[in-house]
mmCIF file of all heavy atoms in Angstrom:
data_model
loop_
_atom_site.group_PDB
_atom_site.id
_atom_site.type_symbol
_atom_site.label_atom_id
_atom_site.label_comp_id
_atom_site.label_asym_id
_atom_site.label_seq_id
_atom_site.Cartn_x
_atom_site.Cartn_y
_atom_site.Cartn_z
ATOM 1 N N GLN A 137 82.167 44.000 24.838
ATOM 2 C CA GLN A 137 82.266 44.043 26.302
ATOM 3 C C GLN A 137 81.789 42.692 26.905
ATOM 4 O O GLN A 137 80.705 42.196 26.503
ATOM 5 C CB GLN A 137 81.395 45.174 26.848
ATOM 6 C CG GLN A 137 81.420 45.287 28.391
ATOM 7 C CD GLN A 137 80.582 46.487 28.844
ATOM 8 O OE1 GLN A 137 80.669 47.587 28.315
ATOM 9 N NE2 GLN A 137 79.726 46.246 29.856
ATOM 10 N N ASN A 138 82.550 42.168 27.793
ATOM 11 C CA ASN A 138 82.199 40.866 28.417
ATOM 12 C C ASN A 138 81.164 41.085 29.507
ATOM 13 O O ASN A 138 81.240 42.043 30.251
ATOM 14 C CB ASN A 138 83.443 40.235 28.998
ATOM 15 C CG ASN A 138 83.143 38.841 29.501
ATOM 16 O OD1 ASN A 138 82.322 38.124 28.983
ATOM 17 N ND2 ASN A 138 83.836 38.458 30.595
ATOM 18 N N GLY A 139 80.171 40.191 29.564
ATOM 19 C CA GLY A 139 79.176 40.223 30.603
ATOM 20 C C GLY A 139 78.073 41.295 30.471
ATOM 21 O O GLY A 139 77.335 41.601 31.391
ATOM 22 N N LEU A 140 77.999 41.857 29.253
ATOM 23 C CA LEU A 140 76.984 42.918 29.002
ATOM 24 C C LEU A 140 75.576 42.410 29.231
ATOM 25 O O LEU A 140 74.732 43.160 29.732
ATOM 26 C CB LEU A 140 77.152 43.403 27.589
ATOM 27 C CG LEU A 140 76.079 44.449 27.111
ATOM 28 C CD1 LEU A 140 76.194 45.741 27.908
ATOM 29 C CD2 LEU A 140 76.223 44.684 25.588
ATOM 30 N N SER A 141 75.282 41.165 28.854
ATOM 31 C CA SER A 141 73.898 40.674 28.930
ATOM 32 C C SER A 141 73.391 40.478 30.332
ATOM 33 O O SER A 141 72.252 40.206 30.571
ATOM 34 C CB SER A 141 73.773 39.370 28.183
ATOM 35 O OG SER A 141 74.677 38.377 28.675
ATOM 36 N N ALA A 142 74.314 40.638 31.353
ATOM 37 C CA ALA A 142 73.907 40.447 32.740
ATOM 38 C C ALA A 142 73.471 41.786 33.374
ATOM 39 O O ALA A 142 72.935 41.750 34.509
ATOM 40 C CB ALA A 142 75.027 39.846 33.561
ATOM 41 N N SER A 143 73.702 42.901 32.685
ATOM 42 C CA SER A 143 73.455 44.186 33.282
ATOM 43 C C SER A 143 72.111 44.778 32.867
ATOM 44 O O SER A 143 72.041 45.855 32.227
ATOM 45 C CB SER A 143 74.542 45.154 32.888
ATOM 46 O OG SER A 143 75.808 44.659 33.280
ATOM 47 N N TRP A 144 71.046 44.105 33.209
ATOM 48 C CA TRP A 144 69.726 44.541 32.809
ATOM 49 C C TRP A 144 68.692 44.516 33.926
ATOM 50 O O TRP A 144 68.759 43.677 34.809
ATOM 51 C CB TRP A 144 69.157 43.688 31.639
ATOM 52 C CG TRP A 144 70.039 43.765 30.395
ATOM 53 C CD1 TRP A 144 71.223 43.136 30.196
ATOM 54 C CD2 TRP A 144 69.808 44.595 29.290
ATOM 55 N NE1 TRP A 144 71.760 43.523 28.994
ATOM 56 C CE2 TRP A 144 70.903 44.386 28.389
ATOM 57 C CE3 TRP A 144 68.804 45.452 28.923
ATOM 58 C CZ2 TRP A 144 71.003 45.028 27.174
ATOM 59 C CZ3 TRP A 144 68.897 46.111 27.704
ATOM 60 C CH2 TRP A 144 69.976 45.890 26.818
ATOM 61 N N LEU A 145 67.802 45.468 33.903
ATOM 62 C CA LEU A 145 66.727 45.560 34.929
ATOM 63 C C LEU A 145 65.457 45.013 34.263
ATOM 64 O O LEU A 145 65.246 45.225 33.078
ATOM 65 C CB LEU A 145 66.474 47.006 35.362
ATOM 66 C CG LEU A 145 67.738 47.769 35.857
ATOM 67 C CD1 LEU A 145 67.377 49.248 36.010
ATOM 68 C CD2 LEU A 145 68.213 47.231 37.161
ATOM 69 N N SER A 146 64.643 44.341 35.016
ATOM 70 C CA SER A 146 63.376 43.813 34.482
ATOM 71 C C SER A 146 62.222 44.497 35.161
ATOM 72 O O SER A 146 62.263 44.893 36.342
ATOM 73 C CB SER A 146 63.309 42.302 34.733
ATOM 74 O OG SER A 146 63.165 41.978 36.082
ATOM 75 N N LEU A 147 61.174 44.690 34.389
ATOM 76 C CA LEU A 147 59.909 45.267 34.910
ATOM 77 C C LEU A 147 58.782 44.360 34.494
ATOM 78 O O LEU A 147 58.681 43.920 33.351
ATOM 79 C CB LEU A 147 59.700 46.667 34.306
ATOM 80 C CG LEU A 147 60.845 47.653 34.548
ATOM 81 C CD1 LEU A 147 61.666 47.833 33.258
ATOM 82 C CD2 LEU A 147 60.340 49.002 34.972
ATOM 83 N N GLU A 148 57.916 44.037 35.423
ATOM 84 C CA GLU A 148 56.840 43.029 35.167
ATOM 85 C C GLU A 148 55.516 43.498 35.697
ATOM 86 O O GLU A 148 55.404 44.174 36.708
ATOM 87 C CB GLU A 148 57.208 41.700 35.841
ATOM 88 C CG GLU A 148 58.540 41.135 35.357
ATOM 89 C CD GLU A 148 58.753 39.720 35.919
ATOM 90 O OE1 GLU A 148 57.865 39.195 36.608
ATOM 91 O OE2 GLU A 148 59.886 39.203 35.686
ATOM 92 N N CYS A 149 54.476 43.143 34.943
ATOM 93 C CA CYS A 149 53.106 43.369 35.427
ATOM 94 C C CYS A 149 52.119 42.645 34.516
ATOM 95 O O CYS A 149 52.461 42.056 33.494
ATOM 96 C CB CYS A 149 52.791 44.820 35.572
ATOM 97 S SG CYS A 149 52.422 45.606 33.977
ATOM 98 N N THR A 150 50.823 42.724 34.863
ATOM 99 C CA THR A 150 49.749 42.085 34.138
ATOM 100 C C THR A 150 48.697 43.139 33.831
ATOM 101 O O THR A 150 48.320 43.913 34.715
ATOM 102 C CB THR A 150 49.103 40.932 34.936
ATOM 103 O OG1 THR A 150 50.120 39.978 35.248
ATOM 104 C CG2 THR A 150 47.990 40.274 34.147
ATOM 105 N N VAL A 151 48.223 43.123 32.639
ATOM 106 C CA VAL A 151 47.166 44.083 32.213
ATOM 107 C C VAL A 151 45.899 43.282 31.877
ATOM 108 O O VAL A 151 45.917 42.311 31.161
ATOM 109 C CB VAL A 151 47.573 44.858 30.939
ATOM 110 C CG1 VAL A 151 46.461 45.831 30.549
ATOM 111 C CG2 VAL A 151 48.844 45.631 31.214
ATOM 112 N N TYR A 152 44.806 43.705 32.451
ATOM 113 C CA TYR A 152 43.519 43.054 32.133
ATOM 114 C C TYR A 152 42.782 43.932 31.140
ATOM 115 O O TYR A 152 42.586 45.105 31.338
ATOM 116 C CB TYR A 152 42.696 42.917 33.442
ATOM 117 C CG TYR A 152 43.365 42.091 34.468
ATOM 118 C CD1 TYR A 152 44.102 42.654 35.469
ATOM 119 C CD2 TYR A 152 43.300 40.676 34.377
ATOM 120 C CE1 TYR A 152 44.791 41.875 36.437
ATOM 121 C CE2 TYR A 152 43.968 39.908 35.316
ATOM 122 C CZ TYR A 152 44.688 40.463 36.347
ATOM 123 O OH TYR A 152 45.353 39.702 37.239
ATOM 124 N N ILE A 153 42.399 43.319 30.041
ATOM 125 C CA ILE A 153 41.773 44.046 28.974
ATOM 126 C C ILE A 153 40.361 43.561 28.712
ATOM 127 O O ILE A 153 40.001 42.393 28.893
ATOM 128 C CB ILE A 153 42.549 43.953 27.642
ATOM 129 C CG1 ILE A 153 42.620 42.524 27.130
ATOM 130 C CG2 ILE A 153 43.976 44.533 27.835
ATOM 131 C CD1 ILE A 153 43.245 42.367 25.754
ATOM 132 N N ASN A 154 39.499 44.490 28.286
ATOM 133 C CA ASN A 154 38.135 44.239 27.892
ATOM 134 C C ASN A 154 37.778 45.251 26.825
ATOM 135 O O ASN A 154 37.291 46.336 27.125
ATOM 136 C CB ASN A 154 37.156 44.309 29.052
ATOM 137 C CG ASN A 154 35.779 43.853 28.719
ATOM 138 O OD1 ASN A 154 35.467 43.612 27.541
ATOM 139 N ND2 ASN A 154 34.918 43.758 29.707
ATOM 140 N N ILE A 155 38.124 44.912 25.580
ATOM 141 C CA ILE A 155 38.029 45.907 24.496
ATOM 142 C C ILE A 155 36.888 45.492 23.553
ATOM 143 O O ILE A 155 36.810 44.327 23.064
ATOM 144 C CB ILE A 155 39.351 45.957 23.686
ATOM 145 C CG1 ILE A 155 40.491 46.232 24.659
ATOM 146 C CG2 ILE A 155 39.254 47.036 22.636
ATOM 147 C CD1 ILE A 155 41.859 46.108 23.981
ATOM 148 N N HIS A 156 35.983 46.412 23.280
ATOM 149 C CA HIS A 156 34.855 46.186 22.363
ATOM 150 C C HIS A 156 35.084 47.007 21.089
ATOM 151 O O HIS A 156 35.263 48.206 21.150
ATOM 152 C CB HIS A 156 33.535 46.584 23.000
ATOM 153 C CG HIS A 156 32.361 46.421 22.073
ATOM 154 N ND1 HIS A 156 31.838 45.193 21.722
ATOM 155 C CD2 HIS A 156 31.640 47.355 21.379
ATOM 156 C CE1 HIS A 156 30.818 45.371 20.902
ATOM 157 N NE2 HIS A 156 30.676 46.668 20.662
ATOM 158 N N VAL A 157 35.150 46.329 19.945
ATOM 159 C CA VAL A 157 35.376 47.015 18.672
ATOM 160 C C VAL A 157 34.193 46.736 17.757
ATOM 161 O O VAL A 157 34.030 45.643 17.215
ATOM 162 C CB VAL A 157 36.676 46.509 17.985
ATOM 163 C CG1 VAL A 157 36.894 47.248 16.686
ATOM 164 C CG2 VAL A 157 37.835 46.663 18.914
ATOM 165 N N PRO A 158 33.323 47.770 17.495
ATOM 166 C CA PRO A 158 32.241 47.587 16.539
ATOM 167 C C PRO A 158 32.776 47.603 15.093
ATOM 168 O O PRO A 158 33.729 48.280 14.777
ATOM 169 C CB PRO A 158 31.361 48.820 16.771
ATOM 170 C CG PRO A 158 32.300 49.871 17.319
ATOM 171 C CD PRO A 158 33.331 49.091 18.118
ATOM 172 N N LEU A 159 32.234 46.734 14.251
ATOM 173 C CA LEU A 159 32.605 46.618 12.864
ATOM 174 C C LEU A 159 31.545 47.362 12.020
ATOM 175 O O LEU A 159 30.481 46.822 11.755
ATOM 176 C CB LEU A 159 32.734 45.206 12.427
ATOM 177 C CG LEU A 159 33.674 44.353 13.278
ATOM 178 C CD1 LEU A 159 33.705 42.875 12.773
ATOM 179 C CD2 LEU A 159 35.101 44.919 13.273
ATOM 180 N N SER A 160 31.846 48.579 11.654
ATOM 181 C CA SER A 160 30.878 49.430 10.945
ATOM 182 C C SER A 160 30.629 48.928 9.531
ATOM 183 O O SER A 160 31.534 48.517 8.836
ATOM 184 C CB SER A 160 31.348 50.866 10.906
ATOM 185 O OG SER A 160 30.519 51.666 10.167
ATOM 186 N N THR A 161 29.347 49.012 9.086
ATOM 187 C CA THR A 161 29.028 48.670 7.729
ATOM 188 C C THR A 161 29.487 49.721 6.726
ATOM 189 O O THR A 161 29.528 49.487 5.537
ATOM 190 C CB THR A 161 27.515 48.466 7.551
ATOM 191 O OG1 THR A 161 26.862 49.690 8.020
ATOM 192 C CG2 THR A 161 26.997 47.317 8.357
ATOM 193 N N THR A 162 29.821 50.891 7.231
ATOM 194 C CA THR A 162 30.315 51.947 6.328
ATOM 195 C C THR A 162 31.752 51.745 5.899
ATOM 196 O O THR A 162 32.244 52.465 5.028
ATOM 197 C CB THR A 162 30.221 53.343 7.026
ATOM 198 O OG1 THR A 162 31.002 53.310 8.201
ATOM 199 C CG2 THR A 162 28.757 53.649 7.374
ATOM 200 N N SER A 163 32.394 50.777 6.515
ATOM 201 C CA SER A 163 33.791 50.451 6.134
ATOM 202 C C SER A 163 33.909 48.999 5.755
ATOM 203 O O SER A 163 34.797 48.312 6.202
ATOM 204 C CB SER A 163 34.708 50.788 7.295
ATOM 205 O OG SER A 163 34.331 50.107 8.457
ATOM 206 N N VAL A 164 32.974 48.559 4.911
ATOM 207 C CA VAL A 164 32.938 47.135 4.519
ATOM 208 C C VAL A 164 34.161 46.719 3.703
ATOM 209 O O VAL A 164 34.530 45.560 3.619
ATOM 210 C CB VAL A 164 31.688 46.822 3.676
ATOM 211 C CG1 VAL A 164 30.442 46.911 4.561
ATOM 212 C CG2 VAL A 164 31.574 47.822 2.493
ATOM 213 N N SER A 165 34.813 47.740 3.094
ATOM 214 C CA SER A 165 36.018 47.430 2.332
ATOM 215 C C SER A 165 37.207 47.112 3.219
ATOM 216 O O SER A 165 38.243 46.590 2.750
ATOM 217 C CB SER A 165 36.383 48.578 1.399
ATOM 218 O OG SER A 165 36.661 49.751 2.152
ATOM 219 N N TYR A 166 37.119 47.427 4.508
ATOM 220 C CA TYR A 166 38.198 47.148 5.436
ATOM 221 C C TYR A 166 38.201 45.671 5.793
ATOM 222 O O TYR A 166 37.174 45.021 5.921
ATOM 223 C CB TYR A 166 37.992 47.933 6.731
ATOM 224 C CG TYR A 166 38.313 49.390 6.623
ATOM 225 C CD1 TYR A 166 38.634 49.988 5.405
ATOM 226 C CD2 TYR A 166 38.332 50.184 7.753
ATOM 227 C CE1 TYR A 166 38.916 51.362 5.345
ATOM 228 C CE2 TYR A 166 38.588 51.547 7.685
ATOM 229 C CZ TYR A 166 38.909 52.133 6.460
ATOM 230 O OH TYR A 166 39.187 53.447 6.361
ATOM 231 N N THR A 167 39.439 45.143 5.968
ATOM 232 C CA THR A 167 39.534 43.752 6.436
ATOM 233 C C THR A 167 39.245 43.749 7.895
ATOM 234 O O THR A 167 39.240 44.778 8.595
ATOM 235 C CB THR A 167 40.949 43.251 6.205
ATOM 236 O OG1 THR A 167 41.886 44.050 6.920
ATOM 237 C CG2 THR A 167 41.314 43.251 4.706
ATOM 238 N N LEU A 168 38.989 42.571 8.461
ATOM 239 C CA LEU A 168 38.740 42.369 9.910
ATOM 240 C C LEU A 168 39.940 42.957 10.662
ATOM 241 O O LEU A 168 39.784 43.656 11.665
ATOM 242 C CB LEU A 168 38.534 40.936 10.252
ATOM 243 C CG LEU A 168 38.317 40.611 11.703
ATOM 244 C CD1 LEU A 168 37.053 41.306 12.239
ATOM 245 C CD2 LEU A 168 38.163 39.123 11.898
ATOM 246 N N GLU A 169 41.150 42.717 10.174
ATOM 247 C CA GLU A 169 42.359 43.145 10.849
ATOM 248 C C GLU A 169 42.428 44.676 10.880
ATOM 249 O O GLU A 169 42.714 45.283 11.928
ATOM 250 C CB GLU A 169 43.594 42.589 10.135
ATOM 251 C CG GLU A 169 44.898 42.993 10.795
ATOM 252 C CD GLU A 169 46.098 42.400 10.086
ATOM 253 O OE1 GLU A 169 45.906 41.624 9.144
ATOM 254 O OE2 GLU A 169 47.241 42.736 10.478
ATOM 255 N N LYS A 170 42.153 45.300 9.721
ATOM 256 C CA LYS A 170 42.222 46.765 9.694
ATOM 257 C C LYS A 170 41.137 47.421 10.518
ATOM 258 O O LYS A 170 41.377 48.405 11.194
ATOM 259 C CB LYS A 170 42.111 47.235 8.220
ATOM 260 C CG LYS A 170 42.347 48.728 8.026
ATOM 261 C CD LYS A 170 42.342 49.093 6.566
ATOM 262 C CE LYS A 170 42.621 50.592 6.415
ATOM 263 N NZ LYS A 170 42.655 50.975 4.968
ATOM 264 N N ASN A 171 39.961 46.838 10.492
ATOM 265 C CA ASN A 171 38.831 47.335 11.275
ATOM 266 C C ASN A 171 39.182 47.295 12.778
ATOM 267 O O ASN A 171 38.907 48.204 13.523
ATOM 268 C CB ASN A 171 37.573 46.487 10.992
ATOM 269 C CG ASN A 171 36.427 47.373 10.559
ATOM 270 O OD1 ASN A 171 36.247 48.488 11.057
ATOM 271 N ND2 ASN A 171 35.642 46.881 9.629
ATOM 272 N N THR A 172 39.757 46.148 13.178
ATOM 273 C CA THR A 172 40.134 45.967 14.570
ATOM 274 C C THR A 172 41.217 46.956 15.008
ATOM 275 O O THR A 172 41.195 47.498 16.110
ATOM 276 C CB THR A 172 40.568 44.523 14.860
ATOM 277 O OG1 THR A 172 39.535 43.606 14.458
ATOM 278 C CG2 THR A 172 40.900 44.320 16.321
ATOM 279 N N LYS A 173 42.211 47.175 14.121
ATOM 280 C CA LYS A 173 43.246 48.120 14.475
ATOM 281 C C LYS A 173 42.697 49.484 14.691
ATOM 282 O O LYS A 173 43.112 50.210 15.630
ATOM 283 C CB LYS A 173 44.313 48.140 13.357
ATOM 284 C CG LYS A 173 45.452 49.126 13.736
ATOM 285 C CD LYS A 173 46.477 49.284 12.658
ATOM 286 C CE LYS A 173 47.536 50.319 13.062
ATOM 287 N NZ LYS A 173 48.561 50.540 12.045
ATOM 288 N N ASN A 174 41.762 49.900 13.870
ATOM 289 C CA ASN A 174 41.152 51.224 14.015
ATOM 290 C C ASN A 174 40.469 51.307 15.396
ATOM 291 O O ASN A 174 40.518 52.371 16.065
ATOM 292 C CB ASN A 174 40.124 51.497 12.919
ATOM 293 C CG ASN A 174 40.772 51.702 11.582
ATOM 294 O OD1 ASN A 174 41.958 52.076 11.492
ATOM 295 N ND2 ASN A 174 40.035 51.496 10.526
ATOM 296 N N GLY A 175 39.850 50.217 15.839
ATOM 297 C CA GLY A 175 39.224 50.194 17.143
ATOM 298 C C GLY A 175 40.235 50.220 18.270
ATOM 299 O O GLY A 175 40.012 50.845 19.310
ATOM 300 N N LEU A 176 41.337 49.515 18.070
ATOM 301 C CA LEU A 176 42.384 49.433 19.075
ATOM 302 C C LEU A 176 43.111 50.778 19.286
ATOM 303 O O LEU A 176 43.662 51.042 20.349
ATOM 304 C CB LEU A 176 43.442 48.403 18.705
ATOM 305 C CG LEU A 176 43.002 46.937 18.786
ATOM 306 C CD1 LEU A 176 44.137 46.023 18.340
ATOM 307 C CD2 LEU A 176 42.615 46.559 20.225
ATOM 308 N N ILE A 177 43.067 51.642 18.279
ATOM 309 C CA ILE A 177 43.734 52.938 18.413
ATOM 310 C C ILE A 177 43.116 53.749 19.516
ATOM 311 O O ILE A 177 43.814 54.446 20.262
ATOM 312 C CB ILE A 177 43.631 53.715 17.069
ATOM 313 C CG1 ILE A 177 44.569 53.042 16.044
ATOM 314 C CG2 ILE A 177 44.013 55.158 17.241
ATOM 315 C CD1 ILE A 177 44.516 53.669 14.635
ATOM 316 N N HIS A 178 41.781 53.662 19.690
ATOM 317 C CA HIS A 178 41.149 54.400 20.803
ATOM 318 C C HIS A 178 41.605 53.849 22.164
ATOM 319 O O HIS A 178 41.868 54.569 23.092
ATOM 320 C CB HIS A 178 39.602 54.237 20.644
ATOM 321 C CG HIS A 178 39.058 54.905 19.431
ATOM 322 N ND1 HIS A 178 39.019 56.282 19.278
ATOM 323 C CD2 HIS A 178 38.561 54.387 18.254
ATOM 324 C CE1 HIS A 178 38.502 56.582 18.133
ATOM 325 N NE2 HIS A 178 38.234 55.474 17.467
ATOM 326 N N TRP A 179 41.660 52.519 22.237
ATOM 327 C CA TRP A 179 42.164 51.905 23.477
ATOM 328 C C TRP A 179 43.608 52.234 23.721
ATOM 329 O O TRP A 179 44.032 52.498 24.890
ATOM 330 C CB TRP A 179 41.962 50.401 23.412
ATOM 331 C CG TRP A 179 42.709 49.614 24.425
ATOM 332 C CD1 TRP A 179 42.381 49.438 25.730
ATOM 333 C CD2 TRP A 179 43.943 48.878 24.259
ATOM 334 N NE1 TRP A 179 43.293 48.676 26.387
ATOM 335 C CE2 TRP A 179 44.247 48.300 25.506
ATOM 336 C CE3 TRP A 179 44.804 48.672 23.157
ATOM 337 C CZ2 TRP A 179 45.416 47.523 25.686
ATOM 338 C CZ3 TRP A 179 45.898 47.892 23.333
ATOM 339 C CH2 TRP A 179 46.226 47.337 24.588
ATOM 340 N N ALA A 180 44.394 52.360 22.692
ATOM 341 C CA ALA A 180 45.811 52.680 22.821
ATOM 342 C C ALA A 180 46.022 54.073 23.431
ATOM 343 O O ALA A 180 46.924 54.269 24.240
ATOM 344 C CB ALA A 180 46.493 52.632 21.424
#
Side-chain angles (χ1 to χ4, degrees):
Q137 179 178 315
N138 186 33
L140 174 66
S141 59
S143 304
W144 297 79
L145 306 171
S146 67
L147 304 104
E148 301 186 5
C149 78
T150 301
V151 180
Y152 299 96
I153 62 172
N154 187 352
I155 306 171
H156 177 74
V157 181
L159 306 178
S160 174
T161 55
T162 60
S163 56
V164 292
S165 60
Y166 286 6
T167 61
L168 178 61
E169 181 180 356
K170 186 173 182 179
N171 236 322
T172 302
K173 181 184 177 181
N174 289 338
L176 288 177
I177 288 176
H178 295 289
W179 166 76

